[in-house]
Amino acid sequence: MKEMGIPVIDFDELNGEERSKTMDLLHQACEKWGFFQVENHGIDKQLMEKVKQLINKYYEENLKESFYKSEMAKSLEQDITSEKDWESSFFIWHRPTSNIEDIPNLSDDLRITMNEYIPQLIKMAEKLSELMCENLGLKKGYIKDAFCAGKGPSVGTKVAKYPQCPQPELVRGLREHTDAGGIILLLQDDLVPGLEFFKDGEWVAIPPSKNNRIFVNIGDQVEVLSNGRYKSVLHRVMADKNGSRLSIATFYNPAGDAIISPAPRLLYPNHVRFQDYLKFYATTKFSDKGHRFESMKQIA
């Protein structure tokens, strides 16, 4: 396992002389990594701290005891390797409809805090989608429009604790997977590690977040929409012997009935006769290849 300098996108640098450099860093992060961190994102940091505090309190009061009494927890006591995930989690839907009132024992304070936090995250996700569109040469709202299907995106939050594990060698906190949706925004633990992403044939350890940076990764639907330019990457969570890790992952996803396909702008020309291509090539040989491909798409 390696530790790498994970790309950090500073939103403050989008409004000055560093904009071009920052946009290029974001493009490289989406294309080569599939994940990155964002600082100066504009989300209220006191609100972020309150979200973490209240989720930790909810876990301690409602979930911790039952988790350690579960069959999976008991199986580790007998040195049995588990194919399940060493996590205690629940899911909150926010858009198009919310289920937050249906989750048992959530305090009014936690409900109100989450309902203040989520609109700020959605705003950040939409800003990221616009920046991605700009880098891909798409119109500003292309991803948002594709995800909305006329009724708005689907947004939900997986709240998870990866409890302190007596035998982490026998179990994963969360097994290897890619995310099915669009843009994932993670508010994670600032002390306990465990998240790992797969890059260049090796697992990369993601350190705990500093200064409430938001960790972002790309889901399968952005890879599809970008015709493979932007990558959805395998990741996992390792169980930890020394502490419990908090993960609050908000998914900015397509609506359930949205039809996702590669943006036509990003497709190669197809159904082009080679002799037609050669004829066009003869007059554009020393021009940009991308413009030639675009022209051939129109001809086809």
Side-chain angles (χ1 to χ4, degrees):
M1 186 182 63
K2 296 177 70 173
E3 291 192 9
M4 292 186 180
I6 298 161
V8 177
I9 309 302
D10 185 347
F11 271 12
D12 279 355
E13 293 186 347
L14 291 169
N15 302 312
E17 296 178 354
E18 298 296 314
R19 177 179 172 79
S20 177
K21 178 181 174 183
T22 303
M23 289 295 289
D24 184 60
L25 179 61
L26 175 63
H27 188 55
Q28 293 297 317
C30 294
E31 206 169 40
K32 307 296 185 186
W33 294 70
F35 56 94
F36 52 91
Q37 299 180 81
V38 178
E39 62 182 8
N40 295 316
H41 39 62
I43 298 171
D44 185 329
K45 291 191 175 183
Q46 288 186 326
L47 188 60
M48 295 169 75
E49 284 297 327
K50 189 173 182 182
V51 168
K52 290 190 287 186
Q53 173 196 341
L54 291 172
I55 292 294
N56 278 326
K57 185 172 186 286
Y58 179 81
Y59 167 75
E60 291 291 331
E61 294 177 354
N62 297 280
L63 302 175
K64 182 176 180 179
E65 183 178 352
S66 60
F67 177 82
Y68 282 113
K69 288 181 178 178
S70 69
E71 290 301 316
M72 181 179 61
K74 290 177 181 177
S75 71
L76 288 199
E77 295 174 4
Q78 303 169 29
D79 294 336
I80 299 173
T81 301
S82 177
E83 292 301 320
K84 296 181 179 179
D85 300 316
W86 185 264
E87 70 170 1
S88 175
S89 65
F90 60 96
F91 201 89
I92 307 172
W93 283 108
H94 311 292
R95 307 281 192 279
T97 56
S98 172
N99 71 340
I100 199 166
E101 298 294 332
D102 303 327
I103 297 171
N105 302 319
L106 280 193
S107 67
D108 288 341
D109 198 10
L110 179 51
R111 286 192 178 97
I112 290 167
T113 302
M114 285 300 292
N115 286 335
E116 290 176 2
Y117 173 62
I118 292 304
Q120 296 188 30
L121 270 190
I122 292 173
K123 184 178 178 182
M124 179 184 170
E126 290 178 344
K127 180 173 181 176
L128 279 169
S129 76
E130 290 174 357
L131 296 172
M132 290 177 187
C133 286
E134 183 178 338
N135 274 333
L136 289 167
L138 303 174
K139 66 177 184 179
K140 184 177 180 180
Y142 190 92
I143 292 176
K144 180 180 176 181
D145 292 345
F147 280 17
C148 283
K151 63 179 69 172
S154 175
V155 181
T157 298
K158 179 185 176 184
V159 177
K161 284 285 283 191
Y162 298 94
Q164 188 170 357
C165 183
Q167 293 182 277
E169 68 279 2
L170 296 180
V171 68
R172 291 273 191 271
L174 184 61
R175 287 162 292 171
E176 295 84 350
H177 66 288
T178 63
D179 289 326
I183 299 172
I184 298 86
L185 305 129
L186 172 65
L187 173 59
Q188 66 163 341
D189 207 290
D190 49 11
L191 293 174
V192 181
L195 180 62
E196 297 180 1
F197 271 70
F198 199 65
K199 183 179 186 317
D200 299 334
E202 298 184 77
W203 287 103
V204 178
I206 308 300
S209 292
K210 296 179 180 178
N211 302 318
N212 278 322
R213 287 174 174 170
I214 293 288
F215 183 87
V216 178
N217 68 282
I218 288 169
D220 295 346
Q221 303 313 305
V222 170
E223 179 166 337
V224 171
L225 190 145
S226 69
N227 197 32
R229 291 283 299 277
Y230 288 174
K231 305 299 183 185
S232 171
V233 181
L234 271 176
H235 51 285
R236 66 187 183 185
V237 177
M238 305 301 285
D240 192 280
K241 196 169 189 173
N242 301 311
S244 297
R245 177 177 174 270
L246 175 65
S247 168
I248 305 167
T250 299
F251 296 78
Y252 180 81
N253 286 349
D257 56 356
I259 306 298
I260 303 298
S261 55
R265 170 76 175 77
L266 303 178
L267 291 172
Y268 283 108
N270 56 69
H271 301 296
V272 175
R273 287 191 303 175
F274 182 52
Q275 67 185 34
D276 294 335
Y277 186 83
L278 279 179
K279 183 178 179 181
F280 190 70
Y281 177 81
T283 60
T284 61
K285 178 176 181 177
F286 301 106
S287 301
D288 179 70
K289 176 178 63 177
H291 293 311
R292 183 159 61 245
F293 285 167
E294 280 301 305
S295 297
M296 290 308 298
K297 281 195 280 186
Q298 299 303 317
I299 292 170

